[in-house]
């Protein structure tokens, strides 16, 4: 198929490469010329603007952008996609943005005659490179089935979350819970070890008890409990604290828009913000345990 | 073996019955005469005081009491067990109390020549009746091996958590994390559904993603997501909110004693306290989701 | 002087009336035609758009708008003020918006040759009608001195807060503290009275001790402690919970933009959000005490 | 009058000295012999035990002890005061303890025929030395009037808070609010200054606005805003963080006993605990602002 791809950053570039590998013809755009050049080297055709992508006889356009403002600009801006794209083109936005903005853009696409799916991902840059991302997709059943084979070139789990915007809802709800759970594990591991327990023994008990969770059994924040996790390599190379902060911001913003309290969610956001303001925004979010372990070192 | 058993409440009585079923000879005491009478009907010998239990030629004494004050009184009081028990008798306290008190009592026992294991349980009254409790045990390897066959008459998982007090540490650390996770799940499910997602779809995504946890995949608080959980029967018959409150009190007390912050833990405690003060202390702790779902009904 | 006034809502309308009373000539605009008509009856000239206001030979334009999006649209939009206003016209924005947006608009004005002061107010609709508002003003000393006599027609305290944006900074910092203090007083009064103290005695002790604050000595949330406050008339007619929520949103947004933790501020925001979601957004924010007093009634 | 005084620590010793200076005859006891010796040098008679104090023909006994356990031991212990003191002796406990324990001890005194007032103080060691303490007194009107002239030798404000225990209630309620307000001021000052405002200007605006409170206008935590406060001398010599922690512990314990939520109070407790665990327990509690200012320095 002819696919347009807009947004070739740390996530977008490897996703686009996987589409090329799967045999699709790509027309790509990014504000960064070198990013475009790299994909052209890999076999894509470069474009000079979103408009150029829209005019390249594409069947599908995928966008992967940093934030809501970029998504609105690329789709709704004066020379944005919706002003020029053929109504037959299927639009897929894989950016992570707030659900309310996602629905606003989808409604505008629909008024233009286009289908627009929200399809944010989880799995990080590793999953993007390996083609093992999870896609959480919002849109009609019919639109979802059209997009599924394309998304399957880039990911392993393609999950239909319901109507438009629900892909974003699933992602922010899951990640808010993740952000809370990780701090919960950090507090429990710090309390237990400072009260005298061995960290591995404590983790093994939690992992077979009612405290069991991904943040304990798969990404335990206490150094040395698990191998091959960020905590055992200086908290490098996982899901960055600042990315968690971004997702908690989306969650609390969406909650605010509908007057829904998210009390632990908002407190978790502040604790990661405190940690990030100390210069730790690039560390895996499990490094938040240092807020609980380090003071003891000072004593 | 000859076993003394002190404390025949909702947990202690079925535990004692399981020991009788396993063929052991029991001498039992409780402040409630009817509680003693019921166990006598089941084959135990009644005693008039802890001292009487100690003098009944027992090999082991197990205590199952409501709180730290009772444990200290039964072991350390003027006519308490340590004032009279033979040093050969193995002592096992299955009460859930704070780790610091547990160690204080164990040290006093040790000074008396007795081994005293802390062995709090999880699994609730259902597990106590079925003999499927989990025991988290603190004490030496040697003491643990002596106690294991007895505990195995009452439970399925008998876990050695390390030195004295560590059984309590494991329990309060796990349950603090549980209390936090449940509120995290409640906030995520409430946010997601109020933003338009189907509760079962959202739960299924979380349960295969990084938000996965026991509170979501085994005791999901949203009504109708899982069958046979408290949320699907009006929040009856699980782990009561007031029991969660008790354990969070133990966790924050232990944290305070060593100046260890437990920020989400303390906030979770207040949120359950707010919920309990509204008259909901007897509901399963997953009912806390009503704090997040009910306001919406008012709109 | 010839003054343009854009935004004639609950605050803007009485402010504009006070300028007319002070002898100034007003040209006014609002999206609501009836709102314009009322001011025309009071002696103003109506305009059909912000552009019309800009072309009405004015010396000063004052804007009083609900939120950042409206301010950006009126000043920076395609046919916004900056596209057409004479560089000699002094611009004053009395809307309450986030400091970062305020500075962005002020920079755009400056690039256009205009001075733009941020001058948010406190004092509510009562203060607007009585001409007793406090203005917190950001801009150069010189700009401030030009604006002061005009602002003095609408307010009693005209405070220079420093450079551009600082009027907004002062307002959000003060109101975040206010939102926290009020909940602090609510918790202290609820705790003390439920422990058996008389509310008036407790308030009198706090008001002469280190807990002393405006939320205790001037707007005490406990019914009957003070006369003529919202708490003594069913929480009507003060500073609405939803207005407090708006200001806490501005504070946490500004904090997020600079990675500055505001832990109690964010928790206070959630607690007011919980209270508002129960249908109480129109009550004075001191009504939050009901979250602490009502559960007791249920017992 | 003949006065017994038990507890000659940092607060008790200067209080006892002021009674001697006022012409009273003192019999004093402390576990520390040097503490007793110093008071004997100042004119008091030393005693060997609380019992000795009770037998010294005293009209009044005042106790000033570190915590609830000491108070219970001195009054209710096997050879405690109540076992031996004459029913005519008026008992005054100036220790800061939880209201529920205070009432328990007062009830025991009453059963013994003695009046026992709770009379905790505020004002710190400076106020104790200068005789300017505030006494918050719980007991009957009649008992209060008997105690007042004696307390007036040690303090300036002698406030009747109502029935037994209410002195403690007033103190913990006020100090919980104080602990919250101080963090609120810290967050507001940190946010405002990091957004570009001058600290003194910001404080002056808050102090004339609705954020006004003792923590801002009398003990502002931002260095340099006020002279002669801990913030302007490295946070030395005020009300220590660990003393604030103690009082927040009393507040949350009392709240827990009656199932009353104190949400910001419990979070404030954790934040001071975090700060103390970093080795800052001896600094004035206003130093908590460093949790908000220091991360920025790291950037």
């Amino acid at each position: 198929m002819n696919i347009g791809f807009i947004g070739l950053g740390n996530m977008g570039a490897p996703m686009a490469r996987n589409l090329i590998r799967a045999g699709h013809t790509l027309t790509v755009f990014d504000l960064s010329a070198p990013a475009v050049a790299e994909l052209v080297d890999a076999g894509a055709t470069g474009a000079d603007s979103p408009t150029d992508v829209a005019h390249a006889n594409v069947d599908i356009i995928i966008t992967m952008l940093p934030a809501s403002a970029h998504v609105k600009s690329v789709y709704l801006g004066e020379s944005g996609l919706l002003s020029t794209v053929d109504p037959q083109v299927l639009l897929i936005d894989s950016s992570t943005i707030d659900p309310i903005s996602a629905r606003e853009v989808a409604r505008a696409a629909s008024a233009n005659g286009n289908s627009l799916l929200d399809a944010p991902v989880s799995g990080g840059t590793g999953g993007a490179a390996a083609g093992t991302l999870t896609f959480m997709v919002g849109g009609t059943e019919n639109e979802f089935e059209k997009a599924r084979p394309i998304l399957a070139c880039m990911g392993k789990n393609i999950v239909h979350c319901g109507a438009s915007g629900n892909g974003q809802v699933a992602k922010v709800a899951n990640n808010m819970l993740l952000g809370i759970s990780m701090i919960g594990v950090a507090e429990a591991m710090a309390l237990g070890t400072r009260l005298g327990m061995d960290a591995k023994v404590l983790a093994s008990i939690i992992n077979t008890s009612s405290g069991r969770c991904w943040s304990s059994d798969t990404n335990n924040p206490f150094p040395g409990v698990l191998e091959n996790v960020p905590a055992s390599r200086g908290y490098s190379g996982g899901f960055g604290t600042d990315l968690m902060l971004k997702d908690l911001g989306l969650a609390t913003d969406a909650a605010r828009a509908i007057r829904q309290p998210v009390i632990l969610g908002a407190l978790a956001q502040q604790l990661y913000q405190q940690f990030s303001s100390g210069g730790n925004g690039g560390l895996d979010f499990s490094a938040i345990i240092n807020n609980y372990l380090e003071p003891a070192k000072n004593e």
Side-chain angles (χ1 to χ4, degrees), chain A:
Chain A
M1 295 185 85
N2 285 325
I3 300 176
F5 204 109
I6 298 171
L8 304 168
N10 292 332
M11 294 295 293
M15 289 166 70
R17 283 171 192 278
N18 279 327
L19 289 172
I20 294 172
R21 274 190 208 109
H24 297 291
T25 302
L26 257 70
T27 304
V28 302
F29 172 71
D30 194 282
L31 287 175
S32 153
V36 173
E38 281 192 31
L39 261 290
V40 169
D41 286 351
T45 302
D48 290 337
S49 68
T51 306
D52 272 7
V53 173
H55 292 175
N57 198 28
V58 293
D59 305 300
I60 291 181
I61 296 176
I62 299 172
T63 49
M64 189 63 178
L65 300 162
S68 173
H70 309 87
V71 173
K72 287 186 182 176
S73 166
V74 163
Y75 283 99
L76 311 180
E78 266 185 85
S79 52
L81 286 175
L82 294 185
S83 68
T84 190
V85 73
D86 186 281
Q88 296 304 316
V89 175
L90 178 64
L91 306 171
I92 302 175
D93 181 35
S94 281
S95 317
T96 294
I97 65 173
D98 69 281
I100 290 157
S101 296
R103 284 173 183 153
E104 183 187 334
V105 179
R107 271 194 306 271
S110 179
N112 206 47
N114 291 91
S115 289
L116 168 50
L117 292 154
D118 52 298
V121 303
S122 69
T125 54
T132 58
L133 293 169
T134 292
F135 283 86
M136 289 160 272
V137 186
T140 66
E141 186 69 35
N142 194 33
E143 292 164 340
F144 173 72
E145 290 305 336
K146 278 189 204 153
R148 192 213 288 261
I150 298 301
L151 299 178
C153 304
M154 301 178 284
K156 215 168 58 176
N157 300 303
I158 321 296
V159 187
H160 189 207
C161 300
S164 179
N166 282 2
Q168 303 293 354
V169 173
K171 179 154 187 197
V172 303
N174 180 76
N175 282 17
M176 184 180 77
L177 173 54
L178 171 61
I180 293 167
S181 298
M182 180 55 83
I183 299 181
V185 173
E187 293 190 357
M189 292 297 300
L191 178 63
T193 54
R194 290 208 60 208
L195 283 169
M197 277 201 78
D198 177 76
K200 284 191 177 183
V201 173
L202 178 56
S204 75
I205 291 169
I206 287 174
N207 292 344
T208 55
S209 303
S210 50
R212 168 176 61 77
C213 58
W214 184 92
S215 294
S216 177
D217 65 24
T218 304
N219 190 22
N220 197 289
F222 200 96
V225 164
L226 296 176
E227 291 177 12
N228 299 322
V229 295
S232 295
R233 52 174 189 257
Y235 301 101
S236 66
F239 182 56
T241 297
D242 283 348
L243 291 171
M244 175 51 83
L245 259 180
K246 180 198 163 190
D247 289 357
L248 287 169
L250 295 175
T252 54
D253 281 354
R256 198 200 314 181
I258 60 167
R259 295 271 150 87
Q260 173 65 27
V262 285
I263 301 178
L264 291 197
L267 184 54
Q269 180 182 9
Q270 293 300 318
L271 296 175
Y272 289 110
Q273 198 153 293
Q274 184 182 42
F275 189 58
S276 174
S277 80
N280 304 300
L283 299 180
D284 183 70
F285 75 118
S286 65
I288 189 86
I289 197 174
N290 288 313
N291 260 6
Y292 295 94
L293 295 176
E294 286 185 345
K297 294 184 189 158
N298 295 346
E299 280 171 42

